[in-house]
Amino acid sequence: MQRFIIKGQKPLSGEIKVNGAKNAALKFLSAALLSADKWTLSNIPQIEDIFTLAKLIQSLGVNLSYDKDAFSVHAIQDPKTDLNPDLAIKLRASVLLTGPLIARCGHVFLPYPGGCAIGQRPIDIFLKGFSSLGVKIKAKNNGYVLTTSSLRGNKFFFPQVSVTATETLMMAACLARGKTLLWNAACEPEIPFLADFLNQCGAKIKGAGTPFIEIEGVSRINGGDIAMMSDRIEMGTFAVLAVACGNNTIKIINCQPEHAQSLWLKLKEAGAKIKLGPDWVEVQHANNIRAVDLKTQEYPGFATDLQAPFCVLMTRARGVSLIHETIFESRLFYTDILNHMGARIIMADPHRAIVVGPTQLCGQKIISPDIRAGIALLIAGLMAKGETIIENIYQIDRGYEKIEERLRGLGADIKRVS
Ligand code: EPU
């Protein structure tokens, strides 16, 4: 088991580069199974969730190889269709494979997917969506067997906006007979990015990036090459970290600032000094951070994945802020750990936390609960007086590549020990 040891309050400054987007790369690796031709994907982040999904895809008999950030996926023959439960349980994104597999092979065994412990995370919307496309569903061995003789296009209204359900049904509908209309679809930027590439490979998708997606089924998806878009959550995390810990200018490069408008708004409201370029963000040191309220929403609202880092920043803000997490019901429990470090956070209910600031965090021995709370606690460690030890850093490595090396480039005192 590895851990991070952080000596807090070091002055941070300099430049940090954003990697390829985890939540795009997972979808592209899965979508590659729609095609019998080769997909070559670059700028893929070297993180645990990608390696787990790669292993799961290889276990289906698909040719998948990689060298650093460049992946090649070639599902030349029809893949196997039973997902390995031991791998599927490790990440929620395993459910994405059901779309391409059911469309291409007409059968999937989906063990109940795992992932971050941030809420109940049911899969009812996927099942309802598949059912509307003509898929028969049977519960079996702690999972589901999905079968169809042929997918047929239909109209499906998402009862709740869901990112991966939108992507999964959009992928499946590419090879369905006729037209599929997906209404109340999620609008996250990774969705039009995937749709544009699928269109380059022969799919017929219109409206991705809006709540109304129209897909005309085609008989095959071709091969192609693409570099992943940059990770908007990593960009946002670095920006919050820069406001929280920077003692001079921190420049975040290789990013797409237009993908985090609601974050820039909140950070500026809090008194942060931020300059946005076409592919960079510059954060200048600001002494006085004010408390602001925050409510997470679907894109383009404030991303739930940035809620925990923002909450950590609010511990050093003057005043009282209300952090309202609307998407996941267990995504505020890390606030207990912040209190252990000296914060004053009151949980009003599972969805709302009240942060009273400013407080001085102090180093403690803590455990990373999930990817985003994990990185938020790492930021807390950088802000804290004294030494913080973070255990279970697998939960940070799942989403952030070699984070300690990259933060050392800004002057952080952080090391990984076994
Ligand atoms: N939901 C249902 N039924 C379903 C599917 C979802 O009730 O069948 C509910 C969820 O429980 C949640 C809400 O719908 O309350 C929205 O969840 P969504 O399905 O949009 O989340 P997701 O697709 O599982 C993706 C990201 C998450 C990110 C959320 C919200 C990937 C692989 N994961 O999850 O990212 O937090 O969208 O933006 O794209 C992360 O990167 O650390 C992460 C958790």
Side-chain angles (χ1 to χ4, degrees):
M1 287 290 246
Q2 296 188 319
R3 56 173 71 160
F4 284 139
I5 300 183
I6 303 168
K7 294 212 165 55
Q9 298 195 316
K10 299 290 171 205
L12 305 189
S13 62
E15 206 168 83
I16 187 160
K17 181 170 163 268
V18 176
N19 278 351
K22 164 177 97 69
N23 287 346
L26 292 167
K27 325 300 165 67
F28 276 73
L29 290 171
S30 308
L33 271 54
L34 284 169
S35 176
D37 299 336
K38 185 155 94 177
W39 278 28
T40 309
L41 310 172
S42 56
N43 199 30
I44 302 270
Q46 307 282 285
I47 51 176
E48 290 298 331
D49 270 16
I50 294 290
F51 297 134
T52 306
L53 185 66
K55 271 192 211 139
L56 185 56
I57 292 173
Q58 284 168 332
S59 75
L60 300 174
V62 172
N63 296 325
L64 181 153
S65 58
Y66 53 90
D67 180 19
K68 299 198 177 108
D69 72 323
F71 279 59
S72 139
V73 189
H74 196 174
I76 190 164
Q77 274 131 14
D78 279 358
K80 292 180 205 157
T81 54
D82 283 8
L83 298 184
N84 175 321
D86 295 336
L87 292 169
I89 194 103
K90 287 191 169 175
L91 84 167
R92 167 82 176 177
S94 52
V95 69
L96 288 158
L97 290 169
T98 54
L101 288 175
I102 195 73
R104 179 129 174 231
C105 312
H107 175 272
V108 189
F109 169 64
L110 171 69
Y112 205 86
C116 289
I118 54 180
Q120 291 178 12
R121 307 193 83 183
I123 54 168
D124 55 312
I125 301 173
F126 295 78
L127 300 181
K128 283 180 190 140
F130 278 135
S131 170
S132 82
L133 297 181
V135 175
K136 292 201 175 72
I137 299 161
K138 267 196 193 154
K140 190 183 159 191
N141 295 344
N142 208 16
Y144 293 96
V145 178
L146 314 183
T147 48
T148 183
S149 52
S150 140
L151 290 179
R152 51 177 159 68
N154 202 350
K155 182 155 120 188
F156 182 68
F157 186 95
F158 288 90
Q160 180 169 354
V161 176
S162 163
V163 177
T164 42
T166 299
E167 293 161 329
T168 303
L169 294 179
M170 183 174 86
M171 290 190 272
C174 285
L175 293 179
R177 267 191 293 130
K179 189 184 281 183
T180 301
L181 298 174
L182 301 178
W183 285 10
N184 200 25
C187 302
E188 272 64 7
E190 294 77 19
I191 299 172
F193 183 64
L194 174 63
D196 288 350
F197 183 66
L198 282 167
N199 285 343
Q200 275 178 44
C201 297
K204 290 191 178 159
I205 306 171
K206 285 191 220 158
T210 78
F212 305 100
I213 306 183
E214 183 180 315
I215 305 137
E216 190 67 55
V218 295
S219 57
R220 65 171 278 131
I221 298 291
N222 304 316
D225 300 347
I226 186 158
M228 284 309 102
M229 64 193 288
S230 71
D231 195 315
R232 64 193 162 91
I233 302 301
E234 197 174 80
M235 166 182 70
T237 306
F238 291 158
V240 174
L241 179 148
V243 178
C245 311
N247 84 320
N248 215 322
T249 305
I250 293 185
K251 188 167 184 181
I252 301 157
I253 57 167
N254 204 30
C255 58
Q256 291 170 273
E258 74 272 18
H259 289 159
Q261 301 294 353
S262 48
L263 173 69
W264 310 135
L265 212 68
K266 279 289 156 195
L267 286 177
K268 286 179 183 170
E269 203 184 317
K273 294 181 186 156
I274 297 199
K275 263 198 223 162
L276 302 177
D279 58 358
W280 52 264
V281 178
E282 219 172 66
V283 181
Q284 276 149 23
H285 176 68
N287 266 330
N288 295 316
I289 296 298
R290 293 185 288 277
V292 292
D293 292 343
L294 174 74
K295 186 173 179 180
T296 63
Q297 282 171 334
E298 292 87 5
Y299 188 85
F302 195 100
T304 169
D305 293 339
L306 291 172
Q307 173 262 107
F310 197 88
C311 178
V312 170
L313 172 67
M314 286 299 101
T315 64
R316 64 156 277 208
R318 187 159 300 281
V320 176
S321 40
L322 172 66
I323 306 289
H324 188 171
E325 167 58 56
T326 68
I327 312 280
F328 293 109
E329 61 278 9
S330 310
R331 223 178 191 180
L332 285 172
F333 292 146
Y334 68 89
T335 54
D336 267 357
I337 307 177
L338 287 177
N339 283 341
H340 184 54
M341 295 177 78
R344 281 181 66 205
I345 305 177
I346 301 144
M347 281 277 275
D349 60 47
H351 284 279
R352 289 176 306 160
I354 296 158
V355 187
V356 183
T359 48
Q360 173 60 62
L361 301 179
C362 295
Q364 291 288 349
K365 191 165 174 183
I366 56 182
I367 296 181
S368 167
D370 64 75
I371 304 177
R372 308 303 177 187
I375 197 75
L377 293 174
L378 193 155
I379 297 174
L382 295 171
M383 288 160 69
K385 227 188 220 166
E387 185 176 271
T388 298
I389 299 175
I390 308 185
E391 307 273 7
N392 196 28
I393 59 173
Y394 167 76
Q395 286 296 347
I396 299 176
D397 293 335
R398 284 182 56 200
Y400 298 87
E401 180 181 333
K402 294 187 184 138
I403 191 67
E404 73 285 13
E405 287 178 20
R406 296 158 77 201
L407 294 179
R408 277 202 295 266
L410 293 177
D413 185 339
I414 170 170
K415 60 182 182 207
R416 177 187 292 264
V417 292
S418 293

